[in-house]
């Protein structure tokens, strides 16, 4: 099952040459989840040949413009491009007011349904579940209410050992039960032991997305043991005071967090426009957490 | 005096590969006027090395997103980049409500003043004047209230013939009066005839911007004899019915309008995403009005 994230924006606050503000596209079993949606996100999707029409779920962390100013344009284009299936938006309640005001004044009546779920920005909660994935909010500490999102795969069914099943003439009708881990005592006295015919599926993976936040231990429990941690790393650690003032994190701190919570991989992003190149940020993080990568535009990371 | 327009977006409705929705930057005597501001306009300014900080006046034609969704991001970036001088916005009244709602929810308190002027979308009016230019609205016929803008240079002062003035020892203190066209009878009996020492300045030029509209004779008077007419040309004329339905114009109609109003040059833009290449639109317009050019991204046209 595919579980991967494509970076659409790596810049903080303002766009700079070659870097757009934050947006990411998560592909989980060929279902597409957009995480934040800065201005220019629809253009980034076009640039990287990703289809906006495939996105059914959008998660917005908070209402700073570099995380959502592209949403109204994306929704409008979906409408103009003929979308009819519903779209589900998870984010702060005020998002609905902001979007609806703009639809009103452009006399836009969407041909598809927008379904809003308001995130509670005061306590972590499971806000979404389907057969593939569970999404839980992460309560971050930013200048305005802000949640991250942790995507955790559902445990998959057991894998069938088809060759062995066919060799022993196990009836095909029993396969679904075997996938679910059931042992079978047949009426004829045969015993089909699940472990003889199946192997365990891969352990579920998790992706934690921490958009904008101060270093704050209170959210570490929410991202414990995640497989891939995306964490903002707006500044080098020499700018720690500035990071604190603006409720952001340094590259060194992002790496410390990855280490503390036991992440297997760290992606850093949300880089200040002051950095023309990013190698120093990466090097700084790697001094603490070797498995760090830069979450830059166009790259896709397997979770 | 410079009087030129740079195209930042040529697409209608939605962005497509290499084409962004509408925005234009007018330079009149090194003062900068932004006309419409689609999503991605700030990225376009960066791409073409144009400084957002130099823009003091923004004119928004109407509240369809492809003409203003980039405004909130541009204003936010100006704030984050340290702007302190006021910014003047001319557009529909609801624009203020839309912008302020978003500033409120991002807890943004601009370090510069935003000064709003609401355009009357029912009758043409002069909405702006300084030493360089007068701006008058053009009442267009679109699905929602929409105004174009006509920028007309102020008549410049007369040009001094410096060599002749120096040869005849005309006192330098008299130059400003001569520039204003005054004849001088000096106390000593000398007569300084203005026409001997000055020549007329160039005739003022005008630029008419018609963003989104049906072909409608009622606005032709407003754009009569303009030097450069920018007119939307969303479709080829074979799509006339679609143009009417959506309150847009065809390339052929744009050319007819240029001819009827006596424009000296026509720029066409706001192209439907259905057109992968634009040569057919240009060719169609040229059958009626030879001096037509495509208003495409990055090009600068002298008015």
């Amino acid at each position: 099952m595919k579980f991967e994230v494509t970076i659409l924006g790596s810049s903080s606050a303002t766009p700079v040459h070659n870097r757009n503000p934050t947006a990411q596209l998560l592909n989980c079993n060929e279902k597409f989840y957009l995480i934040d949606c800065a201005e220019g996100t629809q253009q980034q999707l076009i640039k990287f040949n990703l289809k906006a029409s495939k996105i059914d779920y959008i998660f917005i962390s908070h209402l700073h413009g570099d995380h959502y100013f592209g949403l109204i344009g994306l929704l409008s284009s979906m409408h103009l491009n003929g979308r009819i299936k519903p779209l589900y938006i998870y984010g702060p309640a005020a998002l609905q007011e902001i979007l609806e005001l703009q639809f009103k004044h452009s006399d836009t009546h969407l041909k598809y349904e927008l379904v809003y779920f308001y995130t509670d920005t005061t306590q972590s909660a499971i806000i979404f579940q389907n057969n593939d994935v569970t999404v839980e909010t992460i309560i971050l500490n930013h200048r305005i209410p802000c949640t991250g999102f942790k995507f955790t795969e559902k445990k998959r069914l057991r894998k069938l050992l088809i060759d062995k099943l066919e060799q022993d003439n196990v009836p095909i009708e029993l396969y679904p039960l075997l996938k679910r881990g059931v042992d079978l005592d047949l009426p004829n006295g045969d015993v089909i032991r699940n472990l003889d015919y199946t192997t365990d599926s891969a352990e579920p993976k998790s992706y934690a997305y921490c958009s904008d936040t101060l270093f704050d231990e209170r959210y570490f429990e929410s991202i414990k043991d995640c497989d891939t941690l995306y964490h903002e790393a707006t500044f080098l650690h020499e700018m720690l005071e500035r990071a604190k003032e603006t409720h952001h994190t340094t590259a060194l701190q992002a790496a410390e967090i990855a280490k503390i919570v036991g992440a297997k991989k760290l992606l850093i992003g949300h880089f200040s426009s002051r950095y023309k190149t990013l190698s120093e940020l990466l090097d700084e993080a790697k001094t603490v957490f070797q498995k760090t990568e830069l979450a830059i535009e166009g790259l896709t990371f397997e979770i």
Side-chain angles (χ1 to χ4, degrees), chain A residues 52-242:
Chain A
S53 59
K54 288 190 174 176
I55 297 169
D56 288 330
Y57 310 100
I58 300 180
F59 296 84
I60 300 294
S61 65
H62 67 301
L63 294 184
H64 279 154
D66 57 326
H67 293 258
Y68 90 94
F69 280 167
L71 185 57
I72 182 73
L74 178 66
L75 300 184
S76 299
S77 292
M78 285 173 166
H79 164 72
L80 292 165
N81 291 330
R83 183 184 183 106
I84 50 169
K85 62 180 174 170
L87 183 76
Y88 300 86
I89 299 185
Y90 299 76
L95 199 51
Q96 181 170 6
E97 185 188 357
I98 291 168
L99 296 173
E100 288 185 351
L101 181 66
Q102 294 181 82
F103 289 134
K104 181 181 102 179
H105 288 295
S106 61
D107 195 28
T108 298
H109 304 276
L110 293 184
K111 282 172 288 197
Y112 62 93
E113 188 183 7
L114 267 190
V115 186
Y116 294 92
F117 291 86
Y118 302 155
T119 44
D120 178 347
T121 54
T122 63
Q123 55 183 342
S124 176
I126 290 174
I127 56 170
F128 177 85
Q129 283 202 65
N130 62 6
N131 287 339
D132 302 312
V133 74
T134 300
V135 184
E136 202 172 346
T137 49
I138 305 161
I139 305 305
L140 301 173
N141 181 347
H142 196 44
R143 280 169 294 152
I144 60 172
C146 182
T147 69
F149 302 103
K150 185 180 176 189
F151 295 78
T152 306
E153 284 182 300
K154 289 281 179 70
K155 176 75 176 166
R156 313 304 294 172
L157 298 174
R158 296 181 67 79
K159 284 185 188 165
L160 298 176
L161 300 168
I162 295 290
D163 285 353
K164 194 147 195 305
L165 286 161
E166 288 180 349
Q167 182 187 307
D168 295 353
N169 292 313
V170 176
I172 204 163
E173 301 81 49
L174 303 179
Y175 288 9
L177 290 168
L178 291 170
K179 278 187 176 180
R180 283 179 169 68
V182 178
D183 287 321
L184 299 162
D185 299 317
L186 301 188
N188 64 3
D190 285 358
V191 173
I192 300 180
R193 291 196 316 160
N194 195 285
L195 284 177
D196 294 339
Y197 294 100
T198 69
T199 56
D200 200 5
S201 59
E203 274 306 296
K205 298 280 198 297
S206 61
Y207 177 60
Y209 169 83
C210 297
S211 55
D212 278 26
T213 187
L214 267 178
F215 180 105
D216 183 337
E217 292 183 358
R218 285 174 294 181
Y219 67 83
F220 292 180
E221 184 62 29
S222 289
I223 59 175
K224 200 162 175 286
D225 298 327
C226 60
D227 291 277
T228 299
L229 170 64
Y230 165 84
H231 203 287
E232 69 124 310
T234 308
F235 300 105
L236 284 171
H237 204 65
E238 66 190 18
M239 300 282 293
L240 179 61
E241 285 314 305
R242 180 76 184 140

